[in-house]
Amino acid sequence: MTRPLRLFPLLLCLLLAGCNTAAAVGERPIAVGFSCTAQGTYHGDEVAGKIERSSAGLLSFTLTKPDELNGLTMTWDGQTVTLGMLGLEWSLSPEKVPSAALGKRLLQALDAVVYTTTEGVLTDDGRRKTTGEAEKGVTYTLYSDPKTGALLSLEVPAEELQLTFEDFTKI
């Protein structure tokens, strides 16, 4: 074998080693520019609602469950948190919202996904699993569709939060 041909396998290995490994785990989770429905549990209580998110730091979550809070809308715009229900609205500083509040934990986890460099891993059942820290000591696990990036579920064990996402649409 001539010298240039002997180098070909080595060059091929070097080129392949430099390829982006993101393809191995599929599309990154879509953490901005989407709407979906969510249902699950939060501290043992059943929760459900509609989520809309246009960019990092922004989130609107309209609850349908628990029944007592059906219609409550929580909106984060980066400056204030606005709560609305039955035609009444009130705004407050995000710092005044307890750190363990449902919407705040959801916002933190989604923002963490936006800013993370973690590539995630493929699970045995074919989902992409991304883990990280939403805030010091508060970890999350987000599962998404590796083909589309659509969110499938979110777990925040420290807050006993488990959500599954359906009707996922890019906006």
Side-chain angles (χ1 to χ4, degrees), residues 68-103:
E68 301 82 14
L69 297 177
N70 184 11
L72 174 67
T73 299
M74 301 173 281
T75 304
W76 279 258
D77 69 5
Q79 302 287 322
T80 59
V81 177
T82 303
L83 303 172
M85 187 171 183
L86 302 173
L88 300 173
E89 284 191 354
W90 61 100
S91 297
L92 54 137
S93 169
E95 293 82 35
K96 295 197 178 196
V97 176
S99 64
L102 170 62

Side-chain angles (χ1 to χ4, degrees), residues 124-147:
D124 291 339
D125 61 359
R127 300 178 299 165
R128 179 189 169 126
K129 177 182 176 182
T130 304
T131 58
E133 205 169 55
E135 158 177 300
K136 187 167 177 70
V138 180
T139 60
Y140 68 88
T141 302
L142 181 72
Y143 293 93
S144 60
D145 183 326
K147 293 179 182 150

Side-chain angles (χ1 to χ4, degrees), residues 30-81:
I30 297 171
V32 294
F34 72 89
S35 69
C36 68
T37 58
Q39 59 185 11
T41 58
Y42 178 62
H43 289 290
D45 294 323
E46 184 179 5
V47 295
K50 179 161 178 71
I51 298 170
E52 292 184 7
R53 182 164 159 91
S54 58
S55 66
L58 303 179
L59 176 77
S60 178
F61 190 15
T62 302
L63 293 173
T64 56
K65 287 192 182 205
D67 292 335
E68 301 82 14
L69 297 177
N70 184 11
L72 174 67
T73 299
M74 301 173 281
T75 304
W76 279 258
D77 69 5
Q79 302 287 322
T80 59
V81 177

